[in-house]
Amino acid sequence: MYETELAIVGAGPAGLSAAIEARKAGVEVLLIDENSRPGGQLFKQIHKFFGSRDHKAGIRGMNIASTLLEESEELGIETWLKGEVCGIEEGRNLWVVRDRKCSELVKAKKIILATGATENAVAFKGWELPGVMGAGAAQTMINVNRVLPGKKVVMLGSGNVGVIVAYQLLQAGAEVVAILEAAPKLGGYGVHTAKVARAGVPLYVSHTIKTAFGKDHVEAVEIVELDSSFKQIPGTERILEVDTVCLATGLTPLTELAWLAGCKFNYVHALGGHLPIHDDKMRSTQPDIFLAGDISGIEEASTAMEEGRLAGINVATELGYISEEEARARSNEIWDSLNSLRSGYFGERRRTSKDSMLQKGKEVIKWNH
Amino acid sequence: MESLKTTGAPSLKELHNSPGFPTEEDIHKGPIAIIECIEEIPCNPCEASCPQGAIKIGKQITNLPKMDFEKCIACGMCIAACPGLAIYIKDYNYSENMVLLSFPYEYYPLPEVGTRVEAVTRHGKYVCEAKVIRVRNPKSNDRTAIITIEYPKEYFEEVVNIKRITVS
Ligand SMILES: Cc1cc2nc3c(=O)[nH]c(=O)nc-3n(C[C@H](O)[C@H](O)[C@H](O)COP(=O)(O)OP(=O)(O)OC[C@H]3O[C@@H](n4cnc5c(N)ncnc54)[C@H](O)[C@@H]3O)c2cc1C
Ligand code: SF4
Ligand code: SF4
């Protein structure tokens, strides 16, 4: 058994930022991640990041991870890699499988869940053929393992993940035959779609995949146009010759541990589905469990880092390392930054959704107010 | 109607309505940076990268970047700083018949100075031949190379990039 003041599950931008803030305040921290390197999503992101310069924008994602990592190493944060958290009991004991060999119980006073998200799949005829994969999987193949999943790719989904992975597939030497979007408008940031558009990739709105063909591997797909109520329009089918189909059809927060811990949930469509309820301190409905990053709503690395800092600061306050006053002042600053990140055409909906979540948190999490 | 949200690339109409795009008058001032960033996204590294203070976003990070073409000296600092690869420099008065374009490029292999390349539109459509004048890839750009090409003046507005060079 291992005892610690704070255990953090997930060493992505949220978990790392939380660990750094808490450790800086003096908290004893254990950071656990199932991968062999920390950084979460960031390690696959070879593109320069968005966000404000205060959140390391303009720097490639993988380098943001390295900076956070260095800081966490300088602070001497205890980190368990290849540590899979498989269970949680009595609100704060974690069951961890280490190195796929042995299991260990971690007893913590406080827990921060920063487990991130997982890719959604969509089903169509032939979707089980080899060659159909998540965009994130393709991204891991090209950027981490340096293997091209195929030569001719069709991307389903035009959100930022779809267009960024399409761009990286071009960089890796593949041909992107088309990007399809079921909605009548493209989803991702215009500057990202413009990158692939000027590389000659056609982007088709109101289109989806009807069928994937192939004997033992994808050889072609039949695409079809959709009407305004997303119904297929007969007679608009076309064949695209491809050997790879990438699905970039959204992310869902990885919330299993929060369910297990008995956290209460709320459905918020704009943030990715069923989410553990939390308040403005990032506390869940379980008093000792805090949340940060994509698990509390699918957003971005910049917001994940800020939420991580909030969780870290508030845990440190409850453990008596930071005064209430200081915590309030620093939290206010972070909230200003979060509100500014959650604005504009893309952010406004996230902001109103987050606000309703916080309102819910305020109602449900009584001991906090 | 063709627009950023249906085709992926901004139309000239959308660009002319945005605060980072030059007017006819601005173009004749000399080499200038041009920004094609027309959506309110939470992003601002371009603003800090400009030593002349020519790019303004302000405290609200989702404001559109606004260019002051009077202040821009076409130093190119903003090009590699922009994660959207949305900034390039054009020089309308480069020579009698030719214009100059410096744009960000993140594909390998890089084009070679002196070679002929295919200049393309915002939709990757071939427009004309262009000649590579300079290739800059300093460490500070963190692997966003800046390619400079010259091409005929008549295509000034529509050319924004080159066709990706593929190894056979
Ligand atoms: C293609 C793509 C491009 C993106 N581009 C940008 C961008 O330009 N700018 C931007 O700001 N954001 C961008 N993002 C979003 C950003 O990467 C995420 O929002 C951010 O990584 C979320 O951080 P996180 O810490 O919450 O989760 P993650 O980064 O997902 O980290 C969670 C970690 O927890 C681990 N974990 C989960 N469950 C367990 C368990 N039970 N036991 C142990 N470990 C566990 C996971 O393996 C993972 O390492 C992009 C995302 C993608 C996919
Ligand atoms: S080219 Fe130089 S002066 Fe002009 S906007 Fe960019 S950084 Fe500023
Ligand atoms: S850095 Fe680029 S993408 Fe970001 S706001 Fe400036 S011009 Fe737009």
mmCIF file of all heavy atoms in Angstrom, chain A residues 232-267:
data_model
loop_
_atom_site.group_PDB
_atom_site.id
_atom_site.type_symbol
_atom_site.label_atom_id
_atom_site.label_comp_id
_atom_site.label_asym_id
_atom_site.label_seq_id
_atom_site.Cartn_x
_atom_site.Cartn_y
_atom_site.Cartn_z
ATOM 1 N N GLN A 232 -29.899 10.706 -46.185
ATOM 2 C CA GLN A 232 -29.143 10.486 -47.411
ATOM 3 C C GLN A 232 -30.006 10.818 -48.630
ATOM 4 O O GLN A 232 -31.175 10.456 -48.688
ATOM 5 C CB GLN A 232 -28.682 9.027 -47.480
ATOM 6 C CG GLN A 232 -27.818 8.661 -46.285
ATOM 7 C CD GLN A 232 -27.195 7.285 -46.380
ATOM 8 O OE1 GLN A 232 -27.452 6.530 -47.322
ATOM 9 N NE2 GLN A 232 -26.363 6.954 -45.415
ATOM 10 N N ILE A 233 -29.419 11.490 -49.598
ATOM 11 C CA ILE A 233 -30.147 11.843 -50.813
ATOM 12 C C ILE A 233 -29.831 10.784 -51.878
ATOM 13 O O ILE A 233 -28.693 10.695 -52.347
ATOM 14 C CB ILE A 233 -29.742 13.244 -51.333
ATOM 15 C CG1 ILE A 233 -29.924 14.292 -50.220
ATOM 16 C CG2 ILE A 233 -30.542 13.612 -52.578
ATOM 17 C CD1 ILE A 233 -29.427 15.683 -50.588
ATOM 18 N N PRO A 234 -30.830 9.968 -52.249
ATOM 19 C CA PRO A 234 -30.573 8.896 -53.216
ATOM 20 C C PRO A 234 -30.091 9.473 -54.545
ATOM 21 O O PRO A 234 -30.533 10.543 -54.960
ATOM 22 C CB PRO A 234 -31.947 8.221 -53.389
ATOM 23 C CG PRO A 234 -32.767 8.677 -52.232
ATOM 24 C CD PRO A 234 -32.235 10.012 -51.826
ATOM 25 N N GLY A 235 -29.178 8.759 -55.161
ATOM 26 C CA GLY A 235 -28.673 9.198 -56.453
ATOM 27 C C GLY A 235 -27.444 10.086 -56.359
ATOM 28 O O GLY A 235 -26.842 10.432 -57.371
ATOM 29 N N THR A 236 -27.043 10.464 -55.121
ATOM 30 C CA THR A 236 -25.866 11.332 -54.986
ATOM 31 C C THR A 236 -24.615 10.532 -54.608
ATOM 32 O O THR A 236 -23.579 11.113 -54.298
ATOM 33 C CB THR A 236 -26.090 12.413 -53.907
ATOM 34 O OG1 THR A 236 -26.358 11.756 -52.655
ATOM 35 C CG2 THR A 236 -27.259 13.319 -54.253
ATOM 36 N N GLU A 237 -24.725 9.212 -54.632
ATOM 37 C CA GLU A 237 -23.593 8.374 -54.224
ATOM 38 C C GLU A 237 -22.417 8.533 -55.198
ATOM 39 O O GLU A 237 -22.607 8.714 -56.397
ATOM 40 C CB GLU A 237 -24.005 6.890 -54.185
ATOM 41 C CG GLU A 237 -25.010 6.535 -53.105
ATOM 42 C CD GLU A 237 -26.452 6.754 -53.535
ATOM 43 O OE1 GLU A 237 -26.671 7.277 -54.647
ATOM 44 O OE2 GLU A 237 -27.357 6.399 -52.744
ATOM 45 N N ARG A 238 -21.227 8.455 -54.638
ATOM 46 C CA ARG A 238 -20.008 8.504 -55.438
ATOM 47 C C ARG A 238 -18.990 7.558 -54.804
ATOM 48 O O ARG A 238 -19.018 7.335 -53.599
ATOM 49 C CB ARG A 238 -19.398 9.908 -55.399
ATOM 50 C CG ARG A 238 -19.747 10.739 -56.610
ATOM 51 C CD ARG A 238 -18.975 12.030 -56.569
ATOM 52 N NE ARG A 238 -19.299 12.832 -55.384
ATOM 53 C CZ ARG A 238 -18.549 13.850 -54.969
ATOM 54 N NH1 ARG A 238 -17.431 14.165 -55.593
ATOM 55 N NH2 ARG A 238 -18.902 14.547 -53.900
ATOM 56 N N ILE A 239 -18.093 7.050 -55.614
ATOM 57 C CA ILE A 239 -17.074 6.149 -55.085
ATOM 58 C C ILE A 239 -15.744 6.898 -54.957
ATOM 59 O O ILE A 239 -15.333 7.618 -55.872
ATOM 60 C CB ILE A 239 -16.876 4.941 -56.032
ATOM 61 C CG1 ILE A 239 -18.186 4.159 -56.207
ATOM 62 C CG2 ILE A 239 -15.748 4.039 -55.537
ATOM 63 C CD1 ILE A 239 -18.607 3.349 -55.004
ATOM 64 N N LEU A 240 -15.091 6.750 -53.815
ATOM 65 C CA LEU A 240 -13.730 7.279 -53.655
ATOM 66 C C LEU A 240 -12.805 6.099 -53.426
ATOM 67 O O LEU A 240 -13.067 5.255 -52.567
ATOM 68 C CB LEU A 240 -13.637 8.215 -52.447
ATOM 69 C CG LEU A 240 -14.469 9.496 -52.407
ATOM 70 C CD1 LEU A 240 -14.192 10.235 -51.096
ATOM 71 C CD2 LEU A 240 -14.142 10.388 -53.593
ATOM 72 N N GLU A 241 -11.725 6.059 -54.176
ATOM 73 C CA GLU A 241 -10.753 4.991 -53.949
ATOM 74 C C GLU A 241 -9.837 5.371 -52.799
ATOM 75 O O GLU A 241 -9.107 6.352 -52.889
ATOM 76 C CB GLU A 241 -9.923 4.788 -55.210
ATOM 77 C CG GLU A 241 -10.389 3.607 -56.020
ATOM 78 C CD GLU A 241 -9.552 3.433 -57.262
ATOM 79 O OE1 GLU A 241 -8.318 3.295 -57.115
ATOM 80 O OE2 GLU A 241 -10.145 3.469 -58.353
ATOM 81 N N VAL A 242 -9.896 4.616 -51.739
ATOM 82 C CA VAL A 242 -9.062 4.896 -50.563
ATOM 83 C C VAL A 242 -8.613 3.577 -49.942
ATOM 84 O O VAL A 242 -9.240 2.539 -50.174
ATOM 85 C CB VAL A 242 -9.831 5.699 -49.482
ATOM 86 C CG1 VAL A 242 -10.216 7.079 -49.988
ATOM 87 C CG2 VAL A 242 -11.070 4.957 -49.023
ATOM 88 N N ASP A 243 -7.538 3.619 -49.179
ATOM 89 C CA ASP A 243 -7.160 2.408 -48.441
ATOM 90 C C ASP A 243 -7.284 2.611 -46.927
ATOM 91 O O ASP A 243 -7.049 1.696 -46.151
ATOM 92 C CB ASP A 243 -5.757 1.934 -48.827
ATOM 93 C CG ASP A 243 -4.700 3.009 -48.634
ATOM 94 O OD1 ASP A 243 -4.941 3.961 -47.866
ATOM 95 O OD2 ASP A 243 -3.628 2.899 -49.261
ATOM 96 N N THR A 244 -7.646 3.834 -46.541
ATOM 97 C CA THR A 244 -7.784 4.122 -45.110
ATOM 98 C C THR A 244 -8.963 5.069 -44.877
ATOM 99 O O THR A 244 -9.152 6.022 -45.629
ATOM 100 C CB THR A 244 -6.498 4.795 -44.572
ATOM 101 O OG1 THR A 244 -5.379 3.972 -44.910
ATOM 102 C CG2 THR A 244 -6.549 4.979 -43.072
ATOM 103 N N VAL A 245 -9.744 4.761 -43.852
ATOM 104 C CA VAL A 245 -10.832 5.639 -43.453
ATOM 105 C C VAL A 245 -10.552 6.085 -42.021
ATOM 106 O O VAL A 245 -10.398 5.249 -41.129
ATOM 107 C CB VAL A 245 -12.193 4.903 -43.486
ATOM 108 C CG1 VAL A 245 -13.317 5.837 -43.044
ATOM 109 C CG2 VAL A 245 -12.470 4.337 -44.873
ATOM 110 N N CYS A 246 -10.443 7.397 -41.813
ATOM 111 C CA CYS A 246 -10.219 7.897 -40.455
ATOM 112 C C CYS A 246 -11.503 8.516 -39.932
ATOM 113 O O CYS A 246 -12.141 9.310 -40.609
ATOM 114 C CB CYS A 246 -9.132 8.965 -40.460
ATOM 115 S SG CYS A 246 -7.491 8.303 -40.610
ATOM 116 N N LEU A 247 -11.861 8.145 -38.713
ATOM 117 C CA LEU A 247 -13.073 8.669 -38.090
ATOM 118 C C LEU A 247 -12.704 9.745 -37.076
ATOM 119 O O LEU A 247 -11.990 9.481 -36.111
ATOM 120 C CB LEU A 247 -13.831 7.545 -37.382
ATOM 121 C CG LEU A 247 -14.122 6.299 -38.227
ATOM 122 C CD1 LEU A 247 -14.824 5.243 -37.378
ATOM 123 C CD2 LEU A 247 -14.961 6.652 -39.443
ATOM 124 N N ALA A 248 -13.161 10.948 -37.333
ATOM 125 C CA ALA A 248 -12.930 12.049 -36.384
ATOM 126 C C ALA A 248 -14.287 12.590 -36.014
ATOM 127 O O ALA A 248 -14.664 13.696 -36.357
ATOM 128 C CB ALA A 248 -12.060 13.121 -37.022
ATOM 129 N N THR A 249 -15.056 11.747 -35.335
ATOM 130 C CA THR A 249 -16.458 12.067 -35.100
ATOM 131 C C THR A 249 -16.713 12.358 -33.623
ATOM 132 O O THR A 249 -17.730 11.959 -33.079
ATOM 133 C CB THR A 249 -17.349 10.924 -35.600
ATOM 134 O OG1 THR A 249 -16.766 9.675 -35.194
ATOM 135 C CG2 THR A 249 -17.425 10.913 -37.110
ATOM 136 N N GLY A 250 -15.779 13.018 -33.022
ATOM 137 C CA GLY A 250 -16.017 13.506 -31.669
ATOM 138 C C GLY A 250 -15.344 12.688 -30.576
ATOM 139 O O GLY A 250 -14.850 11.589 -30.804
ATOM 140 N N LEU A 251 -15.319 13.267 -29.414
ATOM 141 C CA LEU A 251 -14.687 12.651 -28.261
ATOM 142 C C LEU A 251 -15.697 12.555 -27.123
ATOM 143 O O LEU A 251 -16.618 13.352 -27.041
ATOM 144 C CB LEU A 251 -13.498 13.505 -27.795
ATOM 145 C CG LEU A 251 -12.372 13.722 -28.802
ATOM 146 C CD1 LEU A 251 -11.474 14.863 -28.353
ATOM 147 C CD2 LEU A 251 -11.545 12.460 -28.963
ATOM 148 N N THR A 252 -15.527 11.558 -26.296
ATOM 149 C CA THR A 252 -16.372 11.403 -25.116
ATOM 150 C C THR A 252 -15.481 11.365 -23.881
ATOM 151 O O THR A 252 -14.477 10.649 -23.871
ATOM 152 C CB THR A 252 -17.168 10.073 -25.202
ATOM 153 O OG1 THR A 252 -17.988 10.122 -26.362
ATOM 154 C CG2 THR A 252 -18.058 9.891 -23.986
ATOM 155 N N PRO A 253 -15.825 12.127 -22.860
ATOM 156 C CA PRO A 253 -15.003 12.146 -21.648
ATOM 157 C C PRO A 253 -14.863 10.738 -21.042
ATOM 158 O O PRO A 253 -15.814 9.965 -21.035
ATOM 159 C CB PRO A 253 -15.778 13.069 -20.705
ATOM 160 C CG PRO A 253 -16.610 13.925 -21.601
ATOM 161 C CD PRO A 253 -16.941 13.079 -22.794
ATOM 162 N N LEU A 254 -13.677 10.437 -20.556
ATOM 163 C CA LEU A 254 -13.408 9.133 -19.932
ATOM 164 C C LEU A 254 -13.784 9.208 -18.456
ATOM 165 O O LEU A 254 -12.974 9.612 -17.621
ATOM 166 C CB LEU A 254 -11.913 8.830 -20.033
ATOM 167 C CG LEU A 254 -11.443 7.839 -21.084
ATOM 168 C CD1 LEU A 254 -9.923 7.726 -21.038
ATOM 169 C CD2 LEU A 254 -12.070 6.477 -20.897
ATOM 170 N N THR A 255 -15.014 8.808 -18.164
ATOM 171 C CA THR A 255 -15.549 9.099 -16.829
ATOM 172 C C THR A 255 -15.735 7.867 -15.933
ATOM 173 O O THR A 255 -16.318 7.986 -14.851
ATOM 174 C CB THR A 255 -16.915 9.789 -16.958
ATOM 175 O OG1 THR A 255 -17.738 8.976 -17.808
ATOM 176 C CG2 THR A 255 -16.797 11.164 -17.568
ATOM 177 N N GLU A 256 -15.255 6.701 -16.359
ATOM 178 C CA GLU A 256 -15.530 5.472 -15.598
ATOM 179 C C GLU A 256 -15.195 5.601 -14.109
ATOM 180 O O GLU A 256 -15.966 5.182 -13.250
ATOM 181 C CB GLU A 256 -14.748 4.276 -16.157
ATOM 182 C CG GLU A 256 -15.282 3.732 -17.461
ATOM 183 C CD GLU A 256 -14.680 4.430 -18.655
ATOM 184 O OE1 GLU A 256 -14.102 5.529 -18.472
ATOM 185 O OE2 GLU A 256 -14.769 3.891 -19.764
ATOM 186 N N LEU A 257 -14.024 6.184 -13.838
ATOM 187 C CA LEU A 257 -13.614 6.260 -12.432
ATOM 188 C C LEU A 257 -14.556 7.150 -11.631
ATOM 189 O O LEU A 257 -14.853 6.870 -10.466
ATOM 190 C CB LEU A 257 -12.168 6.754 -12.317
ATOM 191 C CG LEU A 257 -11.105 5.763 -12.837
ATOM 192 C CD1 LEU A 257 -9.733 6.426 -12.837
ATOM 193 C CD2 LEU A 257 -11.081 4.497 -11.999
ATOM 194 N N ALA A 258 -15.055 8.196 -12.278
ATOM 195 C CA ALA A 258 -15.993 9.086 -11.585
ATOM 196 C C ALA A 258 -17.312 8.358 -11.305
ATOM 197 O O ALA A 258 -17.904 8.520 -10.239
ATOM 198 C CB ALA A 258 -16.233 10.348 -12.417
ATOM 199 N N TRP A 259 -17.755 7.530 -12.266
ATOM 200 C CA TRP A 259 -18.961 6.716 -12.034
ATOM 201 C C TRP A 259 -18.731 5.782 -10.855
ATOM 202 O O TRP A 259 -19.545 5.694 -9.942
ATOM 203 C CB TRP A 259 -19.309 5.851 -13.246
ATOM 204 C CG TRP A 259 -19.889 6.559 -14.434
ATOM 205 C CD1 TRP A 259 -19.264 6.774 -15.633
ATOM 206 C CD2 TRP A 259 -21.209 7.119 -14.584
ATOM 207 N NE1 TRP A 259 -20.099 7.435 -16.503
ATOM 208 C CE2 TRP A 259 -21.297 7.657 -15.891
ATOM 209 C CE3 TRP A 259 -22.319 7.221 -13.731
ATOM 210 C CZ2 TRP A 259 -22.445 8.284 -16.368
ATOM 211 C CZ3 TRP A 259 -23.463 7.842 -14.210
ATOM 212 C CH2 TRP A 259 -23.524 8.368 -15.507
ATOM 213 N N LEU A 260 -17.588 5.085 -10.908
ATOM 214 C CA LEU A 260 -17.264 4.129 -9.847
ATOM 215 C C LEU A 260 -17.238 4.790 -8.481
ATOM 216 O O LEU A 260 -17.637 4.204 -7.481
ATOM 217 C CB LEU A 260 -15.891 3.506 -10.109
ATOM 218 C CG LEU A 260 -15.823 2.306 -11.055
ATOM 219 C CD1 LEU A 260 -14.368 1.900 -11.266
ATOM 220 C CD2 LEU A 260 -16.625 1.136 -10.495
ATOM 221 N N ALA A 261 -16.729 6.016 -8.472
ATOM 222 C CA ALA A 261 -16.583 6.716 -7.196
ATOM 223 C C ALA A 261 -17.924 7.237 -6.693
ATOM 224 O O ALA A 261 -18.011 7.772 -5.590
ATOM 225 C CB ALA A 261 -15.597 7.869 -7.351
ATOM 226 N N GLY A 262 -18.963 7.121 -7.521
ATOM 227 C CA GLY A 262 -20.283 7.552 -7.088
ATOM 228 C C GLY A 262 -20.554 9.028 -7.330
ATOM 229 O O GLY A 262 -21.474 9.601 -6.747
ATOM 230 N N CYS A 263 -19.751 9.653 -8.203
ATOM 231 C CA CYS A 263 -19.999 11.063 -8.519
ATOM 232 C C CYS A 263 -21.341 11.184 -9.227
ATOM 233 O O CYS A 263 -21.721 10.316 -10.004
ATOM 234 C CB CYS A 263 -18.917 11.605 -9.453
ATOM 235 S SG CYS A 263 -17.285 11.631 -8.737
ATOM 236 N N LYS A 264 -22.030 12.278 -8.988
ATOM 237 C CA LYS A 264 -23.277 12.527 -9.719
ATOM 238 C C LYS A 264 -22.948 13.143 -11.073
ATOM 239 O O LYS A 264 -21.971 13.878 -11.212
ATOM 240 C CB LYS A 264 -24.156 13.484 -8.914
ATOM 241 C CG LYS A 264 -24.745 12.853 -7.675
ATOM 242 C CD LYS A 264 -26.046 13.557 -7.310
ATOM 243 C CE LYS A 264 -26.731 12.862 -6.170
ATOM 244 N NZ LYS A 264 -26.039 13.118 -4.878
ATOM 245 N N PHE A 265 -23.810 12.835 -12.056
ATOM 246 C CA PHE A 265 -23.556 13.277 -13.430
ATOM 247 C C PHE A 265 -24.643 14.200 -13.950
ATOM 248 O O PHE A 265 -25.749 14.246 -13.447
ATOM 249 C CB PHE A 265 -23.435 12.056 -14.358
ATOM 250 C CG PHE A 265 -22.071 11.439 -14.348
ATOM 251 C CD1 PHE A 265 -21.588 10.797 -13.213
ATOM 252 C CD2 PHE A 265 -21.259 11.494 -15.468
ATOM 253 C CE1 PHE A 265 -20.326 10.239 -13.202
ATOM 254 C CE2 PHE A 265 -19.991 10.930 -15.461
ATOM 255 C CZ PHE A 265 -19.530 10.300 -14.340
ATOM 256 N N ASN A 266 -24.274 14.880 -15.017
ATOM 257 C CA ASN A 266 -25.190 15.790 -15.689
ATOM 258 C C ASN A 266 -24.898 15.659 -17.178
ATOM 259 O O ASN A 266 -23.739 15.532 -17.559
ATOM 260 C CB ASN A 266 -24.897 17.208 -15.206
ATOM 261 C CG ASN A 266 -25.956 18.201 -15.621
ATOM 262 O OD1 ASN A 266 -27.076 17.815 -15.947
ATOM 263 N ND2 ASN A 266 -25.596 19.474 -15.609
ATOM 264 N N TYR A 267 -25.942 15.685 -18.019
ATOM 265 C CA TYR A 267 -25.705 15.565 -19.457
ATOM 266 C C TYR A 267 -25.564 16.948 -20.081
ATOM 267 O O TYR A 267 -26.453 17.777 -19.991
ATOM 268 C CB TYR A 267 -26.854 14.802 -20.125
ATOM 269 C CG TYR A 267 -26.604 14.565 -21.595
ATOM 270 C CD1 TYR A 267 -25.826 13.486 -22.017
ATOM 271 C CD2 TYR A 267 -27.106 15.436 -22.549
ATOM 272 C CE1 TYR A 267 -25.563 13.284 -23.353
ATOM 273 C CE2 TYR A 267 -26.845 15.243 -23.901
ATOM 274 C CZ TYR A 267 -26.073 14.171 -24.296
ATOM 275 O OH TYR A 267 -25.807 13.975 -25.622
#
